[in-house]
């Protein structure tokens, strides 16, 4: 390796690390990105069944038979963090603005369904006014109350909400009942499917913020607010960001464990970042954009010692010897997941025309067109970005009135409210994300369903929910794993050459990407404040990290440089 010094050394290819790597490389910094794994994505990786079997998160039930070999195993993409991409928000903005969208494809989620305990069926969740008015499962009074709530949520401002303190901290289901008179079934649909809450007692303010995001995303590319990434989800997107970094000069070394990581000058800890800047500015004959050597890393099997000015990493990826003083794990969350392979998609009850029920047709008192502006469909005026095929595989109005396959929707996000499944013992909501061959996560004629629950360490507790998804259909194969995420105490980090990246919590499947993007923004600006203080001056952590696109005299798009 001819160039052995880099501005930034990034440990791990988790989604926030990969986003930050692409942004730093596009900002003109030299990036060395290493991962001891042979795949991209870290805790958000997409794996084949064989790779999952070798992963430390995999668990085997004592009474289960040895897993059979899966034919065409390399054509499956099993996500360690099952998720969808919200059609509006910081994550999709980063995908588009960075150019990562051209490295992958996306399709609209075809079904958002809620398990109905009385019938044992999976029923579509109404998320906009057309869904509501055409739903045969709601009375006219329920439709009016639900529309009233959605109108309130569409106009909700998180910063200036005007709610009294007694309501902001009230349990969300209780607030829906007392404020809007929603019955229990609608409370479950709003709380667990639209707000993606795990429990009904979540604070109202937090849940309303997520519902506002849901409404803002609906209509961006079609009727569904969610996109399904191809080839396994977030892991493939993380690889797209890494590819962007590589295109802009980033160097990647995967599958090589770290033998040693050490500081080359401990004086920096006491002298602060001003020492880096002073050396950059005052050393004779040195390019002002070059950076001093502060770290050295020795990788197993790599003959050269590599150096960097700044290390960007999560605490768990750092050797104990270089972790900040006093840092320790303060909490750990887990997510149990059972992965089921079937030869049919999940069965979602198809909606029937609203005219079949006398009380289902909208009355003259129903909200006017455009009452919930955020939920109106904008597909005709706001087409998908380049690199997506979000409209090509989407059924017509509403989401799942017609299935994309004769058996059912090719992909679906299913929600089980707490206590809804017989013999289900979990006190939180359980979710299932099913994907199929149209998103290239399975071979033709096979479907992959992740059934998962946060704050659960025993995947055997998911068995009743798996049975409810399968509805009597025998699975071809099953796999189980338990994902874990640690939250660390706030360290005393006086070393500006060490930028810590927060671990991504095990959040709802629609939130992970946005959380990872905000985390990457924070890491990006912390790094730029050390290495490019002139660029970082005046910027805060919430500002964009991608140079704006400008058009030149020939109307061609040209990237602005930082």
């Amino acid at each position: 390796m001819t160039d052995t010094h880099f501005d930034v050394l990034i440990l791990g290819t988790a989604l926030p690390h990969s986003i930050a790597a692409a942004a730093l490389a596009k900002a003109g910094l030299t990036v060395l990105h290493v991962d001891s794994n042979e795949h991209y994505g870290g805790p958000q990786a997409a794996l084949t069944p064989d790779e999952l079997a070798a992963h430390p998160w995999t668990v085997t039930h004592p009474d289960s038979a040895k897993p059979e070999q899966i034919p065409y195993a390399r054509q499956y993409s099993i996500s360690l963090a099952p998720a969808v991409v919200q059609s509006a928000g910081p994550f999709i903005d980063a995908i588009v603005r960075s150019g990562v969208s051209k490295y992958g494809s996306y399709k609209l989620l075809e079904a958002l369904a809620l398990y109905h305990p009385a019938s044992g069926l999976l029923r579509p969740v109404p998320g906009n006014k057309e869904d509501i008015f055409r739903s045969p499962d709601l009375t006219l009074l329920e439709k009016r109350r639900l529309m009233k709530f959605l109108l309130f949520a569409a106009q909700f401002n998180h910063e200036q909400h005007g709610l009294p303190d007694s309501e902001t901290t009230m349990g969300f289901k209780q607030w829906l009942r007392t404020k809007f008179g929603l019955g229990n079934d609608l409370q479950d649909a709003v709380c667990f499917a639209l707000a993606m809450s795990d429990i009904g007692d979540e604070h109202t303010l937090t849940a309303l913020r997520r519902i506002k995001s849901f409404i803002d995303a609906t209509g961006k590319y079609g009727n569904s607010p969610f996109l399904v990434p191809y080839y396994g989800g977030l892991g493939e997107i993380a690889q797209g960001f890494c590819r962007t970094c590589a295109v802009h000069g980033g160097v990647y070394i995967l599958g090589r464990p770290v033998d040693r990581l050490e500081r080359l000058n401990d004086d920096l800890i006491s002298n602060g970042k001003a020492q880096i800047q002073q050396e950059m500015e005052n050393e004779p004959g040195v390019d002002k954009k070059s950076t001093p050597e502060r770290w050295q890393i020795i990788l197993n099997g790599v003959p050269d010692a590599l150096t960097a000015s700044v290390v960007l990493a999560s605490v768990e990826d750092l050797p104990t010897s270089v972790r900040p003083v006093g840092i320790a794990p303060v909490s750990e969350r887990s997510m149990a997941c059972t992965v089921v392979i079937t030869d049919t998609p999940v069965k979602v009850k198809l909606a029937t025309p609203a005219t079949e029920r006398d009380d289902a047709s909208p009355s003259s008192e129903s909200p006017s067109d455009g009452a919930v502006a955020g939920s109106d469909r904008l597909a005709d005026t706001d087409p998908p970005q380049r690199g997506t095929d979000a409209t090509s595989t989407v059924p017509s109005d509403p989401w799942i009135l017609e299935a994309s396959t004769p058996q059912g929707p090719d992909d679906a996000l299913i929600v089980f409210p707490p206590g809804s499944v017989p013999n289900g013992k979990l006190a939180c909501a359980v979710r299932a994300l099913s994907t199929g061959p149209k998103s290239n996560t399975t071979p033709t004629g096979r479907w992959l369903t992740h059934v998962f629950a946060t704050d659960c360490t025993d995947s055997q507790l998911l068995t009743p929910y798996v049975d409810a998804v399968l509805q009597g259909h025998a699975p071809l194969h099953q796999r189980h794993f338990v994902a874990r995420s640690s939250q660390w105490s706030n360290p005393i980090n006086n070393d500006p050459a060490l930028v810590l990246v927060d671990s991504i919590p095990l959040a709802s499947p629609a939130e992970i990407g946005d959380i990872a993007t905000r985390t990457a923004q924070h890491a990006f600006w912390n790094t730029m404040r050390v290495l490019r203080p002139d660029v970082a001056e005046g910027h805060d952590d919430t500002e964009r990290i991608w140079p704006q696109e400008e058009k030149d005299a020939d109307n061609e798009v040209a990237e602005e440089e930082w």
Side-chain angles (χ1 to χ4, degrees), residues 30 66 123 132 139 152 155 231 235 303 320 324 374 384 438 497 500 516:
T30 56
K66 182 180 179 180
R123 291 184 174 178
I132 293 170
T139 67
F152 171 87
Q155 299 170 340
Y231 300 107
T320 307
K438 289 192 174 182
L500 296 178

Side-chain angles (χ1 to χ4, degrees), residues 332-372:
E332 180 182 82
R333 295 194 72 185
S334 57
M335 181 194 73
C337 182
T338 293
V339 182
V340 181
I341 297 176
T342 60
D343 56 6
T344 60
V346 296
K347 306 291 185 181
V348 177
K349 174 184 177 293
L350 297 183
T352 53
T355 54
E356 293 186 10
R357 287 185 57 184
D358 293 337
D359 60 355
S361 59
S363 69
S364 59
E365 297 180 22
S366 62
S368 60
D369 289 342
V372 185

